[in-house]
Amino acid sequence: MERSTPPFLDEPPQGQKLTSYDREHMTLYLRLLDADRDSADWREAVQILFGLDPDHDPQRCRKVHAAHLARAKWMSESGYQELLRKDQSH
């Protein structure tokens, strides 16, 4: 199955600064937030969004999903403010 998302790390970069990784994966983060809001099963989300097989490596898949969902939530709660500041400075 071919993914339309950019290559991903098992864990996105952490910290309180927006990274190029965050910018590249913004669509992925939005889709993760949508899946979470809809109470989608994490196994289905990781298979669709990351192209990973949770039956083959459930531990890694759970880690990838949880780490990216946490970063997506950070983006939606505070990381987006950096995007707004940058847009306002142009």
Side-chain angles (χ1 to χ4, degrees):
M1 174 163 81
E2 188 175 319
R3 288 189 334 268
S4 59
T5 59
F8 62 89
L9 302 171
D10 280 8
E11 291 187 55
Q14 300 299 304
Q16 298 303 307
K17 287 290 215 184
L18 196 64
T19 67
S20 60
Y21 186 90
D22 293 324
R23 292 177 192 282
E24 291 170 6
H25 292 83
M26 196 72 62
T27 301
L28 174 67
Y29 292 164
L30 292 171
R31 293 181 73 194
L32 279 165
L33 291 170
D34 285 345
D36 186 57
R37 180 199 64 218
D38 295 342
S39 300
D41 186 291
W42 71 268
R43 290 174 287 269
E44 182 180 357
V46 81
Q47 190 169 23
I48 292 169
L49 300 177
F50 294 92
L52 298 175
D53 181 358
D55 293 329
H56 175 71
D57 193 350
Q59 205 168 19
R60 176 180 178 231
C61 290
R62 182 68 170 169
K63 178 181 172 183
V64 166
H65 179 268
H68 282 82
L69 180 57
R71 189 64 176 179
K73 287 180 178 181
W74 172 81
M75 285 288 300
S76 72
E77 294 164 1
S78 61
Y80 74 92
Q81 293 173 6
E82 193 172 326
L83 288 173
L84 294 177
R85 282 193 297 272
K86 184 173 182 164
D87 286 345
Q88 290 172 355
S89 67
H90 288 285

